[in-house]
């Protein structure tokens, strides 16, 4: 079955493409290359043995999306990753975020409206804000969004629910990711930040390899055991597999409408513990300092994954040490083979 993967050359998208092929699906990629490299297509070919079908296309261009749907009428499912995701930038440029993240979602939904397609949406644990109860379950209240980025995820979930309420034939699963990190075991694909990384793990690996002078830990006075923030880091390969599991669930006759799932490991790891795991697995000493807290950071969040374990029949297999060693292997690969 052909699966459309929007944003399929991005970090999570590319790893999901590999897992789709492993599961016997045929991925068809759309990407506008705004936050990815065309070279990832060749990297994917090295892993899966052929170059997947690729369309360079801006999903905000309604006509282009409709043309695509006419060219690819055989699509049997959609995994929609394509979206902007930098929290800080979204605060400065809200309209850029609302325009891109909503227009693209609406255009792709419209293009295949009327067909009984399975649709997997990239959502985020950011919808929970700072949860009152940890680990956070899917029925926890969605809190007022802290950023336009977070708001696009919340509203997108509302849009998807409304589409189902209106009687659409789509079957929709929203996956609320916790913190995806790591890289493929071949070290041929991984996270490719443009400019200075905003996220923790690429900042760690770039510091370790000498691209950045020093990592700053954003605060150590939080109400957590070691004072630093806690997150639920999940290996991107496990995350890719969660998308395959979501498609399989949506394919079942019994699955109807819309549902959401937490996609994490179910355990929290602090920033300082991540640094320690990096140093221990790689043997590389990291230059870091404690700095002030970052505005808008949630203190601690990790997910209850009972629902995804039971209903998606999926669970994570790779621990924080594999996350760190694979991210480090990828950084070293990039140093030898700049993309
Ligand atoms: C946040 C969102 C996540 C969203 C992501 C998009 C929450 C809980 N999570 O991730 O849903 O998909 O943004 O980018 O809202 N850190 C440092 N030094 C650094 C970088 C990060 O100490 O140089 C710390 C942060 O303070 C945080 C942790 O590392 O505690 C993880 O940060 P990051 O990788 O940016 O992800 P989140 O902010 O958790």
């Amino acid at each position: 079955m052909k699966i459309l993967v929007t944003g399929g050359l991005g970090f999570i998208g590319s790893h999901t493409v590999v897992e789709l092929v492993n599961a016997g699906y045929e991925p068809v990629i759309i990407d506008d290359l705004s936050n990815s490299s065309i070279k990832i297509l060749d990297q994917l070919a090295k892993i899966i043995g052929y170059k997947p079908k690729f369309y360079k296309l801006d999903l905000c261009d309604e006509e282009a999306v409709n043309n695509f749907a006419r060219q690819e009428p055989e699509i049997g499912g959609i995994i929609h990753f394509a979206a902007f995701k930098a929290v800080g930038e979204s605060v400065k440029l809200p309209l850029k975020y609302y325009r891109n993240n909503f227009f693209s979602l609406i255009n792709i939904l419209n293009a295949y409206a009327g067909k009984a397609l399975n649709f997997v949406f990239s959502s985020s644990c950011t919808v929970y804000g700072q949860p009152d109860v940890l680990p956070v379950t899917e029925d926890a209240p969605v809190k007022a969004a802290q950023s336009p980025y977070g708001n696009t995820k919340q509203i997108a979930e509302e849009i998807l629910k409304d589409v189902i309420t209106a009687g659409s034939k789509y079957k929709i699963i929203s996956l609320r990711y916790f913190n995806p990190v790591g890289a493929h075991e071949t070290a041929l694909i991984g996270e490719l930040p443009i400019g200075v990384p905003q996220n923790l793990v690429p900042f760690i690996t770039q510091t370790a390899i000498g691209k950045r002078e020093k990592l700053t830990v954003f605060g150590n006075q939080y109400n957590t055991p070691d004072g630093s923030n806690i997150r639920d880091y999940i290996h991107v390969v496990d995350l890719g597999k969660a998308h395959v599991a979501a498609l399989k669930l949506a394919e079942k006759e019994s699955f109807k409408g819309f549902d959401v799932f937490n996609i994490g490991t179910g355990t929290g790891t602090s920033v300082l513990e991540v640094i320690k795991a990096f140093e221990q697995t790689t043997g590389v000493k990291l230059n870091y300092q404690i700095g002030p807290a970052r505005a808008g950071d949630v203190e601690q969040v990790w997910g209850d994954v009972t629902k995804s374990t039971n209903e998606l029949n999926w669970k994570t297999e790779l621990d924080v040490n594999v996350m760190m060693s694979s991210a480090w292997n990828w950084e070293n690969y990039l140093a030898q083979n700049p993309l």
Side-chain angles (χ1 to χ4, degrees):
M1 187 195 285
K2 276 191 184 180
I3 304 294
L4 168 60
V5 186
T6 75
L9 297 184
F11 176 43
I12 308 170
S14 58
H15 288 82
T16 301
V17 163
V18 174
E19 296 311 320
L20 284 169
V21 172
N22 287 343
Y25 291 102
E26 187 191 335
V28 177
I29 298 173
I30 289 181
D31 202 298
D32 68 354
L33 303 177
S34 63
N35 194 23
S36 59
S37 164
I38 188 65
K39 292 180 181 159
I40 295 297
L41 204 56
D42 298 320
Q43 299 298 99
L44 282 170
K46 289 178 197 161
I47 300 173
I48 65 178
Y50 70 96
K51 222 184 231 191
K53 207 164 183 189
F54 169 67
Y55 291 79
K56 181 179 182 299
L57 195 151
D58 176 1
L59 290 168
C60 292
D61 180 344
E62 189 176 5
E63 210 181 308
V65 176
N66 290 338
N67 280 336
F68 169 85
R70 277 190 285 273
Q71 278 178 69
E72 293 285 352
E74 303 293 294
I75 296 289
I78 300 172
I79 306 181
H80 180 54
F81 292 104
F84 291 152
K85 59 158 195 175
V87 178
E89 187 189 38
S90 81
V91 175
K92 290 190 195 110
L93 301 170
L95 295 180
K96 175 178 170 180
Y97 274 66
Y98 289 125
R99 177 183 182 278
N100 185 62
N101 293 7
F102 293 143
F103 284 17
S104 58
L105 174 68
I106 292 164
N107 286 342
I108 201 72
L109 285 169
N110 268 332
Y112 286 96
K115 298 205 173 179
L117 292 195
N118 305 320
F119 191 98
V120 182
F121 178 68
S122 285
S123 188
S124 166
C125 70
T126 197
V127 301
Y128 300 120
Q130 177 60 63
D132 302 323
V133 181
L134 289 168
V136 63
T137 53
E138 289 85 350
D139 53 13
V142 163
K143 297 265 179 84
Q146 296 296 306
S147 68
Y149 158 77
N151 213 15
T152 67
K153 294 299 177 192
Q154 293 187 2
I155 296 171
E157 286 194 354
E158 295 297 328
I159 291 172
L160 294 169
K161 261 188 269 178
D162 290 346
V163 164
I164 293 298
T165 307
S168 158
K169 288 188 194 156
Y170 277 114
K171 293 183 178 190
I172 304 179
I173 293 182
S174 181
L175 300 181
R176 293 174 175 169
Y177 316 150
F178 286 73
N179 287 56
V181 299
H184 194 257
E185 61 182 355
T186 57
L188 290 166
I189 53 173
E191 195 165 359
L192 204 56
I194 292 175
V196 182
Q198 306 296 310
N199 296 109
L200 177 63
V201 174
F203 208 104
I204 288 179
T205 56
Q206 288 199 6
T207 305
I209 209 140
K211 269 198 208 168
R212 312 271 155 218
E213 194 207 329
K214 198 183 271 182
L215 169 81
T216 300
V217 174
F218 296 142
N220 69 344
Q221 300 297 316
Y222 285 100
N223 187 22
T224 59
D226 66 20
S228 65
N229 286 146
I230 295 177
R231 296 286 183 272
D232 186 342
Y233 296 92
I234 170 171
H235 198 292
V236 66
V237 169
D238 280 331
L239 180 53
K241 290 178 181 170
H243 292 79
V244 174
L247 279 180
K248 298 269 180 216
L249 175 63
E251 283 165 14
K252 285 187 185 163
E253 201 66 48
S254 56
F255 182 88
K256 302 252 184 298
F258 172 83
D259 209 351
V260 295
F261 292 94
N262 282 345
I263 302 296
T265 62
T267 16
T269 308
S270 74
V271 175
L272 293 173
E273 284 169 340
V274 169
I275 292 171
K276 205 170 181 197
F278 178 82
E279 291 187 329
Q280 278 175 356
T281 46
T282 64
V284 179
K285 189 102 193 64
L286 196 70
N287 187 19
Y288 71 92
Q289 65 183 10
I290 308 293
R294 179 170 69 176
D297 261 342
V298 159
E299 179 173 87
Q300 46 188 325
V301 62
W302 64 97
D304 184 309
V305 291
T306 312
K307 185 178 174 190
S308 44
T309 310
N310 292 341
E311 295 179 36
L312 290 179
N313 200 14
W314 162 93
K315 64 175 168 42
T316 57
E317 290 165 356
L318 305 170
D319 66 15
V320 70
N321 295 323
V322 183
M323 297 178 207
M324 293 305 120
S325 57
S326 60
W328 180 231
N329 291 343
W330 163 242
E331 191 68 64
N332 279 284
Y333 175 85
L334 275 181
Q336 302 298 319
N337 311 273
L339 292 181

